[in-house]
């Protein structure tokens, strides 16, 4: 499981233009942002979107939705972000009576988290150079691209392969 933020400031990637014409990408920018949380199983990934930054309450909301949707015992691996260690999240996890078990990834090891590959792929391939007028347009476009990515099982497997985990 991992969180990521998106804003109107898009990731810039290589692009093309006619010879002799430098491509110009114009963007507006405000401090508005949206966030997404994703969890990855062997076969698919699960998403939730939120306005602004992710807080402990949204982590709990996502975990509860994940628990309802999967309806099995969950093993959640995540980084050591402060929101994962918050009192609210710890309290919710304690009330789950072992149905949701958490394993922390080592610090400074994002390459071990396959969900990081979702965010990298989204930003480098799916929404790179997307010139949005406002955060609503960013949100709609990112949601559509992520939902499209969910329907690609080979892509989901690639996220697992990219993580340097031994199985």
């Amino acid at each position: 499981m991992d969180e990521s933020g998106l804003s109107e400031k898009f990731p810039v990637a290589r692009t093309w233009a006619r010879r002799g014409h430098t491509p110009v990408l114009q963007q507006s920018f405000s401090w508005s942002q949206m966030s997404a949380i994703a969890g990855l199983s062997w076969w698919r990934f699960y998403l939730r979107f939120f306005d602004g930054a992710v807080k402990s309450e949204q982590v709990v909301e996502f975990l509860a939705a994940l628990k309802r949707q999967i309806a099995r015992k969950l093993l959640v691996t995540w980084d050591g972000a402060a929101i994962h260690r918050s009192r609210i999240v710890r309290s919710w996890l304690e009330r789950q009576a072992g149905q949701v078990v958490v394993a922390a990834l080592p610090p400074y090891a994002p390459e071990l988290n396959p969900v990081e590959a979702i965010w990298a792929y989204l930003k480098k391939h799916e929404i790179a150079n997307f010139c949005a007028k406002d955060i609503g347009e960013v949100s709609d476009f990112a949601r559509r691209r992520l939902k499209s990515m969910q329907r690609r099982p080979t892509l989901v497997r690639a996220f697992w392969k990219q993580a340097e985990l031994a199985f």
Side-chain angles (χ1 to χ4, degrees), residues 86-120:
S86 73
R87 187 172 19 94
I88 293 169
V89 173
R90 281 195 325 260
S91 172
W92 185 85
L93 288 169
E94 287 169 6
R95 290 193 306 271
Q96 301 314 303
Q99 291 300 304
V100 180
V101 178
V102 173
L105 292 167
Y108 307 107
E111 68 278 359
L112 297 177
N113 189 344
V115 180
E116 291 283 357
I118 294 172
W119 305 134

Side-chain angles (χ1 to χ4, degrees), residues 20-125:
H21 299 307
T22 302
V24 176
L25 301 171
Q26 293 189 344
Q27 61 182 329
S28 62
F29 181 70
S30 72
W31 291 105
S32 301
Q33 86 171 52
M34 64 163 286
S35 297
I37 300 178
L40 185 65
S41 72
W42 291 114
W43 304 276
R44 64 173 300 212
F45 60 93
Y46 305 85
L47 297 164
R48 281 280 164 120
F49 299 91
F50 300 98
D51 291 329
V54 174
K55 296 183 176 56
S56 300
E57 293 82 4
Q58 283 98 5
V59 171
V60 168
E61 179 184 328
F62 179 74
L63 288 171
L66 204 58
K67 186 177 171 212
R68 283 190 306 272
Q69 198 166 7
I70 295 177
R72 298 173 94 179
K73 206 172 192 179
L74 297 178
L75 169 62
V76 177
T77 56
W78 57 26
D79 56 27
I83 57 174
H84 300 159
R85 296 171 299 171
S86 73
R87 187 172 19 94
I88 293 169
V89 173
R90 281 195 325 260
S91 172
W92 185 85
L93 288 169
E94 287 169 6
R95 290 193 306 271
Q96 301 314 303
Q99 291 300 304
V100 180
V101 178
V102 173
L105 292 167
Y108 307 107
E111 68 278 359
L112 297 177
N113 189 344
V115 180
E116 291 283 357
I118 294 172
W119 305 134
Y121 188 86
L122 173 71
K123 292 175 182 180
K124 289 178 186 170
H125 300 282

